Amino acid sequence: MSRLRGLLIGSALGLLAAGCASFPEQPAPEGWSAAPQLTPQAGPVPELPGELPKSPGQGQQPGQQSTVPPPQGCKDFSPAVVGTCLNPVSGVALIDVNQTTGAVTALATERATGRLLRVTKDVDPVEVAKFDVDASGDGGLSGLALSPTYPEDQLVYVYVTTATDNRVMRIAPGDVPKPVLTGIPKGPAGNRGALAHDTTGALLVATGDAGNPALAANPDSLAGKVLRIDGAGQPARGNPTPGSRVLASGLRSPGGLCVAGDGSKTWVTDAGASADLLYRVQPGKPLGDAAWSWPERPGLGGCASLSNVVWLATGGTPGTLTLPMNPDGSFTGKPEPGLTGEDGYGRLGPMVALDDTTALVGTVNKNPGGTPVSSDDRVVIIVRDGGPPDSKD
């Protein structure tokens, strides 16, 4: 059977301290020092004892009934479920695996409530921070990423829609959240954002167009872009245009941002004007034609760039999609659905790869059109079909 290995974060990490967000009008309070510039490094690589948590119907013969009982209230019997009874989840991140018990701990954000939560199976969620968000349209708390040196600094970054703008915030243990990058345009739509780190440690920020496509084409605007910044919100070293935060432009309402483990490929999902879109990010170039488009609009959310596929979560239809991929990033076939029906967890939003066959995801079944169960919304570890042969015994 598959086992959960290659998890990104070392064990024995400290817990984040709870805090309440403030939103000053200036980009940063006077006297606030920037985050130290640390070199990303891998911590110890834990392995979850026993078999990898599975989706309820995974590995069963056609027509065979699942042996996992249905949820009872907030109690979910699937071993793959990490957190339960949340509001629709907008961001997820793995922070710890207990090597003795195998318990997985993660962070999750809720778009509409503005809550950042720490979740562990069969433990009530713990509020780490709560942000005053404007959740109208597609705004709210919509992006989450750990510092690339999280085992050392325990810093967490989030993307927030406030009453006046969209912005990136940084959360440190024992401190209130601090603004990193403010003034990202806000509008009646196009306020979603997504965060990820590249292999150099720079923070990538996907921003919406604030309902104005002209802003996405304007090189002087932060809207409708993939930005690349350092821990203080300044343009990262090596950006295509010195002094500019812009890596690529042309987004409308991004849902997910993902970087290949070797740094060779970066992808961003977007809700375009007439289709859901997957773009490959080419530094210094407009996003241009999409690598793939879906006129039927499955509701693309998070993504994972793996060795032989791009794996996509869908929030409009239940399950995932995988696009078979060559090493150069070209696609070798059509999108293949997975985790549909009884073998899945319904509609999925954020996604973060844990290794080449597994990902951490959040569900969005309480959104309009969803069919939630009693334990929704949830944070779940999922396994993709057709993983590398060495992922199985």
Side-chain angles (χ1 to χ4, degrees):
M1 296 291 182
S2 301
R3 291 179 182 274
L4 182 58
R5 50 184 194 271
L7 299 184
L8 303 181
I9 305 302
S11 58
L13 303 178
L15 301 180
L16 295 172
C20 195
S22 60
F23 296 108
E25 289 304 314
Q26 298 301 316
E30 184 176 351
W32 175 60
S33 59
Q37 298 301 301
L38 301 177
T39 301
Q41 53 185 296
V45 181
E47 183 168 321
L48 189 63
E51 294 186 359
L52 179 71
K54 292 184 165 195
S55 302
Q58 190 165 9
Q60 296 172 188
Q61 298 300 318
Q64 183 179 354
Q65 294 297 313
S66 172
T67 58
V68 178
Q72 296 179 6
C74 292
K75 173 70 174 179
D76 198 300
F77 297 95
S78 168
V81 172
V82 178
T84 62
C85 284
L86 307 175
N87 283 289
V89 180
S90 57
V92 290
L94 179 72
I95 59 171
D96 190 27
V97 178
N98 187 302
Q99 294 297 286
T100 301
T101 65
V104 176
T105 300
L107 295 177
T109 54
E110 297 174 337
R111 182 188 68 84
T113 69
R115 296 194 302 168
L116 170 65
L117 302 165
R118 185 172 63 248
V119 296
T120 305
K121 189 173 182 65
D122 298 328
V123 176
D124 289 341
V126 175
E127 185 175 290
V128 175
K130 191 173 190 299
F131 298 84
D132 293 326
V133 299
D134 182 352
S136 60
D138 57 355
L141 180 57
S142 59
L144 171 66
L146 301 181
S147 161
T149 50
Y150 181 83
E152 289 81 19
D153 56 35
Q154 297 182 50
L155 296 178
V156 178
Y157 295 87
V158 294
Y159 191 88
V160 182
T161 307
T162 76
T164 58
D165 67 357
N166 291 291
R167 58 178 61 188
V168 179
M169 305 287 291
R170 189 185 80 190
I171 306 158
D175 198 1
V176 296
K178 298 291 198 307
V180 171
L181 178 61
T182 63
I184 301 169
K186 175 191 174 185
N191 296 302
R192 283 200 304 180
L195 303 177
H197 280 91
D198 67 16
T199 53
T200 72
L203 181 63
L204 304 182
V205 184
T207 69
D209 68 1
N212 182 355
L215 293 179
N218 182 350
D220 296 324
S221 174
L222 298 177
K225 306 293 193 299
V226 178
L227 309 175
R228 184 171 178 268
I229 61 175
D230 62 20
Q234 298 303 309
R237 291 183 181 179
N239 278 3
T241 302
S244 172
R245 300 177 177 89
V246 176
L247 190 68
S249 58
L251 291 173
R252 182 172 178 264
S253 180
L257 185 61
C258 53
V259 181
D262 63 1
S264 63
K265 294 176 284 292
T266 299
W267 307 90
V268 62
T269 66
D270 192 24
S274 59
D276 286 350
L277 307 168
L278 174 68
Y279 291 108
R280 184 169 179 181
V281 179
Q282 303 283 359
K285 300 179 181 179
L287 293 171
D289 293 333
W292 205 276
S293 63
W294 288 263
E296 68 276 21
R297 289 196 180 279
L300 295 186
C303 62
S305 182
L306 306 180
S307 62
N308 60 349
V309 301
V310 175
W311 198 11
L312 301 156
T314 57
T317 58
T320 64
L321 295 168
T322 54
L323 271 168
M325 180 178 61
N326 287 316
D328 65 359
S330 60
F331 296 125
T332 62
K334 295 181 179 180
E336 301 170 357
L339 295 177
T340 57
E342 293 183 359
D343 66 344
Y345 293 92
R347 302 177 185 225
L348 307 178
M351 169 185 281
V352 175
L354 302 181
D355 62 16
D356 207 47
T357 61
T358 60
L360 187 70
V361 298
T363 72
V364 290
N365 291 313
K366 288 181 180 176
N367 280 342
T371 307
V373 298
S374 68
S375 59
D376 274 323
D377 272 311
R378 294 170 282 178
V379 175
V380 186
I381 297 171
I382 62 171
V383 185
R384 72 178 178 93
D385 296 329
D390 65 358
S391 69
K392 300 186 188 242
D393 292 340

